[in-house]
């Protein structure tokens, strides 16, 4: 998926949870939402982007990465 699209989606999620839960609780809520609704490939790409520099992400969206479990590689061979 396009990284800019992931950034946009993460920031929209962050905006919502900041308004609902506040700045302090938002990162955990963002991480829970991403875990529940994003495909493993999207989560892996997001974590990789956050680890590089996370440019363009709201601080809460960037902080959410610390609450996301690493995505395990899936094997396509039996």
């Amino acid at each position: 998926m396009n990284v800019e699209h992931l950034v946009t989606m993460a920031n929209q999620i962050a905006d919502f949870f900041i308004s609902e839960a506040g700045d302090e609780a938002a990162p955990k809520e963002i991480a829970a939402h991403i875990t529940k609704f994003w495909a493993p490939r999207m989560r892996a790409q997001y974590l990789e982007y956050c680890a590089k520099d996370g440019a363009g992400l709201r601080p809460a969206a960037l902080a959410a990465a610390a609450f996301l479990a690493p995505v395990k590689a899936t094997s396509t061979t039996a």
Side-chain angles (χ1 to χ4, degrees):
M1 176 172 273
N2 182 319
V3 173
E4 289 85 18
H5 189 63
L6 286 178
V7 168
T8 298
M9 291 189 322
N11 284 337
Q12 290 172 338
I13 295 165
D15 289 342
F16 174 79
F17 284 111
I18 289 167
S19 70
E20 290 293 311
D23 290 329
E24 200 169 304
K28 284 184 182 180
E29 297 293 333
I30 296 163
H33 179 90
I34 288 172
T35 298
K36 186 173 182 180
F37 295 108
W38 287 18
R41 178 185 279 175
M42 291 170 64
R43 290 194 314 268
Q45 191 175 5
Y46 179 72
L47 286 170
E48 182 180 322
Y49 185 73
C50 288
K52 285 182 182 176
D53 70 357
L57 286 168
R58 307 244 191 294
L62 187 57
F67 297 101
L68 290 170
V71 180
K72 296 179 183 177
T74 57
S75 175
T76 56
T77 59

